[in-house]
Amino acid sequence: MRILDVTWKDISQQIRDKRPLAFLLGAPILFTVLMGVMMGGLGGSSEEDPRLAVGVLDRDGGAAAGSLIALMEKSEAVRPVRVEEKDAQTLEKQVSDGKLAGAVVIPAGYSAAVFDGNAMPLRLLIDDASDAGTNADRAVRAVVFRLQTAVETAIWSANIAAEQSGFASPAERQSFLESTMQAGVREWETAPVMLQLRSAAAKESTQPAIPSGFAQSSPGNMVTFALAGLISAAEILVWERKSGTLRRLLTTSISRMEILIGHFLAMFLMVFLQVIILGTFGQLLFGLTYWQNPAAFLTMATTVTLWIASMGLLIGVMARTSEQVAMFSIVPMLALAGLGGAWMPLEVTGETFQAVGHLTPTYWAMNGMQNLILRGQGLAGVILPAVVLCGFALLFFGIAVWRFHRE
Amino acid sequence: MIVLDVAWKDLMHSVRSVFMLVFALGLPLLTAGVFYAAFGGLSSGENGRMIAAPRVMVVNLDSAGQAGTMLADFLIGEELSGVLDAVRESDPAAARAAVDAGEAAVAVILPENFTASLTAAGTGGTVAVEIYQDPALTVGPAIVRSIVGQLLDGFAGVRVSVQASGEALAVRSIPLDPQTAAGIAAQYTEWVQAQMSSGDGQDWLDVQSVSGAKQESMDTIARMISAIMAMMMIFYCFFTGTAAAQSILQEQEAGTLPRMFTTPARRSMILAGKLLAVLVTLLLQLAILLAVSGWAFRIHWGNPVSVVLGVVGTGALSASFAIFVTSFLKDTKQAGMVYGVVVNLVGWVGISRLFVLIIPGLDKYASYTDIVSLISPQGWAAQIWQESMAGNPVWITVTGMLVLSLVLFGIGVFKFNRRFSE
């Protein structure tokens, strides 16, 4: 009962001032939306055609140029955007400004040259320092390979035809070359081998199952701002010590352990509520499946909160001033969030960084949450993260108890 | 002398505060440091980011077929060892389970009839190579898809070539007998091998980068870390300015400021001392952040003249912005709220021009953010550092910053004078 009194006192102190509460819910929601929309660039784009736009300036107008554009239209990675000659001067700027991922200039005489076996290279403009540029480069190379296969096939076939029946005129030969090349381009549409992309969470498709930006920003901000919530919670402990309330409390029959558990419970309830609200928000607004398996989500919410609340307790026990509370909260918040993959997916980082990231509780919190919303896993998928988080919670709680008893 | 005395006292107060030091210097460096470490800056060196090679489980169910064996061997072989961390697995279910458990990024499953489907004498249908990926990952699976896609095109080209040839020759009533088909397949194989040995389509494409000579020298990591560090520096600089200017409100509440006004020292001198302290604090912060980040993260901030102008412009603008905002506040209670909301929001608008440069796909919005960001002082600061790092002239921007500083400073001083003369 005395534990609950301490808990209730802490909660009522915290909810008295509405501004931090608004911050702890408003800020993560705002940042989830902002970062989610921005990270859409990494995957789940809302655009109708998510393929990279590649400008095509056709100065040739021949059959090979037409086939190249036809192959680009069928590409899964790039889509051709026709550019008129009058806009040729702006091509470089459009690519460097990022309006186009790349631009292909087909030189005049290209179609004639490819059948003569004369190399007449296509000019490809890209910003090689950007991801879009690198991807466009790769995709255009694949398209040109397909075109060259069709061209070479046409040449080999024309040689066979010339041997067997001959051509009445160069024009007939040219017509044969072009029709064979077009047949080759058509054949690529029904290539004998295709990639079938599958994942545990997605149905079979030929399009990659790419997570939306919100699947990263929602759990990322949930964890980051749960850590930020420690500031006001831990400050109560500091204030109690500075004002002498703690000493007065210790003269009563309440034990040190009861005081600590009371504070811990208050932190737990506040952070737990925050995590549940943010998870529900993510489900309702972005369709993230936090609640698909309620037991699994509640397990993750509980263990994430246990870790954060015990860390808050440790900060409250260690800090002597409000400034120290802010420092002890914000510095680990930034470090743990960054290292553990709350700001960006760890897969885009270096090997050493990933190894260090795996040692942080943030990683396990992100991993467990993403097992629910991305990998479509249930209770079994959150057991390991939950156990690791409990381990961190025990460690922090143990150190806090030890420090408080030595005080 | 009074100006210097007041400035010295405030400056000492700032530099003795561990809290202030952590926020002004520690947090911007910590944030940029996390990103620097994340993208391999500590270990990778010069060329691009060092993304860990994705773990790939290769399952070849076409072990009797030549194509399946070749493809599986190539994926696992030495040639791709720096790009893929591929291992062989015989059971598709085990490979998928490894992906589900997060032990691998992707499983590539080659079907039983893989080789048969590639030959003209085969079924003629389409066979699917399964790419089973961890849905939480994007980059690793994209690399695998790209590599496998290219290899499959190489294999698939045989049948494409034979069938297109057969279709074209049929129009001229020339039947495609097995011998002719084999001839086409052999020519294709020879041609593909020649392309592979001469390089990936070097004769077909003349690839030109639109990055200028200066930009080319800055690799991807450096550009990203520079943008992040500039963002953090500007963001925290404006916070430091407001935190330092808050001393006016604190002294007003504590009663020390009104007491100072009763001394022979002129009011304007006391205020000038406080402003000087804010400015010196900011200049110190900027100098330390530039020096440490330049050394630790190898950021090239620009030529010395541009850097000095950048420091002066940013320092003057953050100090005057701090005075401007603080002049509208009654007490420190209001300050917490206003600094938190206003400085944050205005700051994000300002640094948006740098932010769009570090998130893939957002650079297309740069032309908008370049304009919108200039409605906030932080946007001007972001612009001058962008120009300085790109080696462009900064004169126009620094002039604009100083004019804006004068306007904000004038309004702030006017409001303070009115308040304290009441």
Side-chain angles (χ1 to χ4, degrees), chain B residues 271-397:
Chain B
L271 278 178
K274 293 210 156 282
L275 304 183
L276 186 62
V278 176
L279 186 62
V280 174
T281 306
L282 288 167
L283 293 179
L284 272 175
Q285 181 190 9
L286 281 165
I288 294 170
L289 287 178
L290 287 169
V292 175
S293 60
W295 168 75
F297 310 138
R298 291 177 244 162
I299 296 173
H300 178 63
W301 289 104
N303 70 57
V305 178
S306 298
V307 170
V308 169
L309 291 175
V311 169
V312 170
T314 309
L317 197 51
S318 11
S320 56
F321 179 71
I323 298 301
F324 171 77
V325 174
T326 310
S327 70
F328 284 89
L329 305 174
K330 282 185 187 156
D331 49 38
T332 49
K333 231 178 178 182
Q334 271 190 351
M337 188 72 176
V338 172
Y339 290 164
V341 177
V342 176
V343 183
N344 241 313
L345 281 180
V346 176
W348 274 101
V349 171
I351 61 173
S352 61
R353 61 185 299 136
L354 294 168
F355 193 75
V356 296
L357 300 180
I358 58 170
I359 304 288
L362 278 191
D363 45 356
K364 61 187 172 197
Y365 299 117
S367 51
Y368 306 112
T369 51
D370 281 358
I371 296 166
V372 173
S373 64
L374 294 181
I375 62 170
S376 89
Q378 284 92 331
W380 285 85
Q383 178 163 288
I384 202 166
W385 290 111
Q386 233 178 325
E387 287 172 344
S388 177
M389 285 190 282
N392 295 331
V394 299
W395 291 103
I396 296 172
T397 307

Side-chain angles (χ1 to χ4, degrees), chain A residues 122 138 153 166 172 192 347, chain B residues 127 138 146 161 165 167 172 206:
Chain A
L122 298 161
R138 205 178 289 143
T153 302
E172 192 188 343
E347 66 150 345
Chain B
V127 71
T138 54
S146 168
S161 199
S165 184
E167 193 183 314
R172 294 178 67 88
D206 171 18

Side-chain angles (χ1 to χ4, degrees), chain A residues 49-56 58 63-83 104 106 139-140 142-144 146-147 185 188-189 207:
Chain A
D49 190 344
R51 296 178 299 168
L52 296 169
V54 172
V56 179
D58 183 5
S67 293
L68 179 78
I69 295 166
L71 282 166
M72 284 177 81
E73 274 160 2
K74 298 288 175 196
S75 165
E76 285 173 6
V78 290
R79 65 185 160 92
V81 176
R82 296 298 287 262
V83 178
V104 177
I106 307 172
V140 170
V143 165
V144 175
R146 289 184 166 198
L147 176 70
V185 169
W188 275 116
E189 285 176 31
Q207 292 293 323

Side-chain angles (χ1 to χ4, degrees), chain B residues 76-93:
Chain B
I76 296 163
E78 276 294 304
E79 208 163 328
L80 292 178
S81 61
V83 190
L84 304 179
D85 174 19
V87 289
R88 205 180 294 272
E89 170 59 63
S90 54
D91 180 12

